[in-house]
Amino acid sequence: MSLENWLSEGRLRRHKTSRNEINQLLAVYERDMADAQPRTISTDRRFATAYNAALTVSAAALAAGGYRASGEGQHYWVIQSLAFTLQLDAETIEVFNRFRRKRNTIDYERIGTVSEKEVLEIIQLAKGIRGKLEIWLRGYYPQLLSPE
């Protein structure tokens, strides 16, 4: 196999990069390496961590319902499934989906695009989904809850 083989298979596409893109990707690396150290955590990491928490409880609802996302776009489908599992409204799902796109950007492309307000919003979203999950599990799948 080679990159050219992957290109012909459609797994890759041609791309013209720029200094800015490379610098942004290296900045993502530097940020992640700094965040891996036992010091402070960046706003980007706080956002990504809270996003992951929200995604995890969303995946828990999907699993409780007997499903698991697979293939490409798993995060997208887990988020969309909230309409069927926890009956989340379309606006909340769209906000979560916007956060998904933002998380992709800060993880893979550039740093410093997350505000403190957005961190607080994703934390609140994660808490809200967790609360709805608790109620939903008690009502439909109490056997999946740990005894108190």
Side-chain angles (χ1 to χ4, degrees):
M1 295 276 32
S2 71
L3 295 179
E4 287 299 316
N5 288 6
W6 289 354
L7 180 68
S8 67
E9 293 174 357
R11 297 176 191 273
L12 299 178
R13 62 180 170 89
R14 296 255 183 235
H15 174 71
K16 183 175 169 76
T17 192
S18 68
R19 180 181 299 166
N20 184 54
E21 179 181 29
I22 297 302
N23 285 332
Q24 285 294 325
L25 291 170
L26 292 174
V28 170
Y29 166 82
E30 293 297 334
R31 181 216 47 217
D32 286 352
M33 292 302 290
D35 286 350
Q37 304 308 309
R39 288 184 268 143
T40 61
I41 187 167
S42 69
T43 303
D44 288 352
R45 283 296 105 209
R46 289 175 55 221
F47 181 90
T49 301
Y51 167 85
N52 194 59
L55 186 70
T56 301
V57 293
S58 301
L62 190 58
Y67 300 94
R68 182 176 178 186
S70 66
E72 282 192 43
Q74 291 181 30
H75 289 206
Y76 175 82
W77 295 111
V78 168
I79 292 167
Q80 296 303 310
S81 75
L82 291 167
F84 303 104
T85 55
L86 304 184
Q87 307 295 303
L88 260 61
D89 61 276
E91 183 179 334
T92 301
I93 290 171
E94 179 49 41
V95 167
F96 196 177
N97 198 45
R98 182 172 45 84
F99 288 154
R100 176 188 62 82
R101 291 188 299 269
K102 171 91 52 175
R103 198 271 321 172
N104 284 345
T105 298
I106 65 173
D107 270 0
Y108 306 118
E109 297 174 15
R110 70 181 69 94
I111 67 171
T113 62
V114 173
S115 69
E116 182 66 24
K117 180 179 183 255
E118 289 171 312
V119 171
L120 297 176
E121 288 173 356
I122 189 67
I123 287 170
Q124 284 307 113
L125 178 69
K127 287 179 178 180
I129 294 170
R130 174 64 176 90
K132 287 183 181 291
L133 175 66
E134 181 82 22
I135 293 166
W136 186 73
L137 289 175
R138 285 191 192 289
Y140 294 99
Y141 302 99
Q143 72 277 13
L144 297 176
L145 291 170
S146 299
E148 292 184 36

